[in-house]
Amino acid sequence: MTAVENTTRTEAGATPDAPALSPHADAAGRHLWMHFARMHGRDGAAPIPVITRGDGVHLWDDRGRRILDGLAGLFVVQAGHGRRELAEVAAKQASELAFFPVWGYTTPPAAELAERLAHLAPGDLNRVFFTSGGGEAVESAWKVAKQYFKLRGRPLKHKVISRATAYHGTTHGAMAVTGLPAMKKDFEPLAPGGFRVPNTNLYRHPEFDGDAEALGRWAADRIEEAIAFEGADTVAAVVLEPVQNSGGCLTAPPSYFARVREICDRHDVLLVADEVITGFGRHGVPFASAKFGFTPDIITCAKGMTSGYGPLGAMIASEKVIEPFLAPGVTFPHGYTWGGHPVSAAVALANLDLMEREDLYGNVLSHADAFGATLDRLRDLPIVGDVRGDGYFWAIELVRDRDTRETFGPQERERLVRGFLPGALFEAGLYCRPDDRGDVVIQLAPPLIAGQREFDEMEQILRGVLAEADKIV
């Protein structure tokens, strides 16, 4: 049977007028173990969506439908889909040298990219440790922090403080830093030493009456309180995102980060900025920590570094952090086979060139307010409680009752987040992210080439789908 015949025939058990299951959806339903996804029911009644190609800010599925990519893949595709020049760089590098590790060696792309990242990073963050992705970068940062203090004769300093609801990765170490209990319960016990402090969700702290500065002071003080409670001689690092992803694009005033920087310095604690999402233009600058007015000791990054045209992450450390590792006989016994992969490194260099040449940073800075204002129109819908974010990274918080800010119960969340919203938005032509790891939000983070036309399209699709969602709940 040909592929065409296979896509048009009626599958066993399907109704005659139901869409036929494509060969790729069928194969995925039988064999693909998907990430962060329920596997039950992935058959002809609920086939796995198959994305076949992308161009610019749009995707196409195997049914020929065009979908606006409102999430840049997964906060990744900064330069947009279908960039032939990046594919050509990958092919050229693979034909010259497809692989060699950076375990005591280097390749030209890895060396050049390390230098490039050091120049982009704030302050004296000059030392680049490559990983395969963001979670591995966070894992590496914690291990560096532990060994850093051991090398300095302070072996008890091993704990990490992070914020409630924050997501930092799925490895056992990164998951211990993550502030999402429901994500961790099936894998406990995790690496010991992760402790939580409040985040900066102003909408969920109405007692501050919209005063972000007051909330920032209060939240920063909770970090110092946690360090004192655990004992400064046991705390190695504080890990935070310049804009917190999980919970829905939680921002904080620059004074918050300045205060956290002072607290970490006073107690000899490393400050780690998790910039896996916020790095490489998502907020109109190479690294959002600089935009929000602080210089961390370590940056973790990934995603937008290659615009998704190759897997790559990095931990970027300051000269202070690297100093004890430069002593004779010292090794950091840690690494990844694919870290600094020459093809991905070459693509990253080309991607950074492209972003500068087309001024994608400037595009974000000049359009960010318009993006927020366009989404802000949705506040007239009763189901919309808050619209918040920065740059090209925004969230819409959905509520059961806007006056009381009452959120949804478990059954309503099930119907909305895992039932109605993902499919309805996709069918309407928008790929984005309904999420309830904190309160119920829809996250939007399009490619950095997007403009007002795409903002308007997102708003119109969201308006129609959210009006229907309001009826459901």
Side-chain angles (χ1 to χ4, degrees):
M1 181 178 291
T2 67
V4 172
E5 289 171 331
N6 191 48
T7 57
T8 57
R9 69 181 175 88
T10 299
E11 298 291 331
T15 58
D17 57 350
L21 197 62
S22 77
H24 297 107
D26 184 43
R30 295 174 185 273
H31 304 292
L32 178 62
W33 195 330
M34 294 183 296
H35 298 201
F36 285 100
R38 295 180 177 182
M39 305 296 288
H40 175 73
R42 296 292 192 166
D43 51 22
I48 296 169
V50 180
I51 306 301
T52 57
R53 69 183 180 95
D55 182 32
V57 296
H58 290 99
L59 305 161
W60 280 262
D61 70 4
D62 60 349
R63 293 161 60 185
R65 296 178 303 174
R66 191 183 76 163
I67 300 107
L68 177 60
D69 184 356
L71 203 65
L74 193 61
F75 317 106
V76 171
V77 190
Q78 316 295 62
H81 299 277
R83 292 285 193 161
R84 184 174 296 275
E85 60 264 49
L86 299 183
E88 291 172 349
V89 166
K92 182 176 184 294
Q93 179 59 47
S95 68
E96 293 175 355
L97 178 67
F99 175 76
F100 205 79
V102 292
W103 296 36
Y105 302 83
T106 191
T107 62
E112 292 172 23
L113 182 58
E115 182 179 38
R116 183 76 165 272
L117 295 178
H119 289 157
L120 290 175
D124 68 345
L125 276 75
N126 297 323
R127 303 292 181 147
V128 180
F129 182 94
F130 286 116
T131 67
S132 306
E136 291 177 354
V138 173
E139 188 86 8
S140 303
W142 192 2
K143 292 178 78 171
V144 158
K146 288 182 177 181
Q147 189 177 358
Y148 167 80
F149 284 110
K150 285 180 172 60
L151 292 171
R152 286 186 48 214
R154 306 195 67 183
L156 296 181
K157 288 176 77 71
H158 70 282
K159 298 174 184 175
V160 174
I161 293 171
S162 59
R163 298 187 289 189
T165 318
Y167 171 80
H168 294 288
T170 56
T171 59
H172 266 64
M175 189 172 287
V177 181
T178 290
L180 295 162
M183 283 190 61
K184 302 190 287 187
K185 62 184 178 64
D186 291 331
F187 309 109
E188 292 175 332
L190 301 174
F195 297 89
R196 235 61 60 211
V197 293
N199 59 43
T200 58
N201 188 343
L202 187 59
Y203 183 70
R204 287 297 165 190
H205 282 285
E207 67 272 21
F208 289 100
D209 194 27
D211 188 342
E213 291 287 341
L215 174 61
R217 289 192 299 271
W218 175 84
D221 287 345
R222 301 291 74 75
I223 293 176
E224 186 161 39
E225 187 178 80
I227 292 172
F229 184 82
E230 292 300 323
D233 59 338
T234 71
V235 178
V238 170
V239 179
L240 50 78
E241 301 156 279
V243 178
Q244 185 173 314
N245 167 36
S246 183
C249 300
L250 306 180
T251 60
S255 59
Y256 165 81
F257 298 105
R259 171 90 172 113
V260 175
R261 178 72 270 179
E262 292 172 2
I263 291 167
C264 289
D265 289 342
R266 181 160 54 251
H267 297 288
D268 193 16
V269 171
L270 297 180
L271 178 54
V272 180
D274 183 346
E275 297 231 31
V276 171
I277 289 177
T278 62
F280 305 107
R282 184 58 48 192
H283 297 275
V285 291
F287 292 106
S289 49
K291 181 178 183 178
F292 289 98
F294 73 104
T295 301
D297 300 298
I298 296 173
I299 285 175
T300 60
C301 58
K303 292 188 183 289
M305 192 192 312
T306 67
S307 280
Y309 288 76
L312 191 62
M315 174 193 68
I316 311 174
S318 68
E319 292 296 328
K320 178 182 82 172
V321 171
I322 194 69
E323 190 272 333
F325 292 88
L326 300 178
V330 175
T331 299
F332 180 41
H334 176 65
Y336 299 101
T337 299
W338 307 113
H341 193 285
V343 175
S344 293
V347 169
L349 286 164
N351 176 60
L352 294 173
D353 286 342
L354 183 158
M355 291 178 65
E356 291 180 3
R357 184 172 67 250
E358 298 187 4
D359 193 20
L360 297 190
Y361 300 112
N363 190 62
V364 171
L365 293 175
S366 62
H367 287 88
D369 289 345
F371 188 19
T374 304
L375 296 177
D376 216 49
R377 298 178 204 154
L378 297 168
R379 288 183 185 270
D380 66 341
L381 297 173
I383 198 172
V384 173
D386 194 26
V387 178
R388 56 181 179 258
D390 180 84
Y392 272 30
F393 190 35
W394 288 80
I396 301 164
E397 181 166 337
L398 308 181
V399 292
R400 194 173 190 276
D401 187 308
R402 188 162 58 188
D403 293 333
T404 64
R405 305 189 186 188
E406 179 186 358
T407 190
F408 300 99
Q411 291 184 343
E412 291 169 323
R413 287 173 177 240
E414 183 72 20
R415 292 169 66 191
L416 273 176
V417 179
R418 279 161 291 280
F420 175 71
L421 285 173
L425 288 163
F426 192 80
E427 289 292 324
L430 176 62
Y431 166 67
C432 57
R433 188 182 200 178
D435 188 20
D436 70 340
R437 290 176 296 176
D439 295 296
V440 177
V441 299
I442 294 177
Q443 288 184 299
L444 297 144
L448 308 189
I449 60 174
Q452 189 60 51
R453 178 183 299 178
E454 288 74 36
F455 305 157
D456 288 336
E457 185 178 351
M458 281 185 249
E459 189 267 341
Q460 287 300 306
I461 293 173
L462 286 163
R463 178 171 295 279
V465 172
L466 292 179
E468 289 300 313
D470 193 34
K471 296 176 184 177
I472 290 174
V473 297

